[in-house]
Amino acid sequence: MFDPSAPHIIILLVVVLLLFGSTRLPGAAQALGKSMHIFKKSVKGLDEDKQAEEASTTRATVVPPTPPQPLPSPPPMSAQQAQIDALQRQLNDLQQSAGNAQQGSGSATAGQQDTRSY
């Protein structure tokens, strides 16, 4: 690959000087220096932010427990609650009738098994 020895660095500097010229080279170097300074400052700022976050998360705040509130009295039965109760009763009736139907069919199949002879 590229071995940065002294002759290579000299050739590289000459090429850069020819490309940018002697008038633009100081401005480019100054802009590069400012960019590096801003970059280093932002990296240090990120480290400081992480340290500040860690310090703020390690501090525990003690909040006294609030006394339990008494439960409010139940509101009077509304129309929606009445509908819910009616639907619940219907559901229970359907489950009971389905259970009875399964028991009846179960006894019929059991009777069929008893009548078979081997």
Side-chain angles (χ1 to χ4, degrees), residues 30-101:
Q30 185 180 11
L32 181 65
K34 285 182 182 179
S35 298
M36 290 298 292
H37 180 70
I38 292 170
F39 179 74
K40 287 180 182 178
K41 190 175 179 181
S42 67
V43 168
K44 287 181 182 177
L46 290 176
D47 290 339
E48 290 172 1
D49 289 344
K50 287 182 182 178
Q51 291 173 355
E53 286 177 6
E54 290 173 0
S56 67
T57 56
T58 57
R59 295 180 190 160
T61 57
V62 178
V63 177
T66 59
Q69 299 287 333
L71 294 175
S73 61
M77 187 177 280
S78 65
Q80 283 184 328
Q81 187 64 36
Q83 287 178 345
I84 291 172
D85 290 341
L87 289 173
Q88 188 68 35
R89 274 186 247 112
Q90 288 177 358
L91 181 63
N92 289 338
D93 291 341
L94 288 173
Q95 287 175 345
Q96 287 176 357
S97 64
N100 291 338

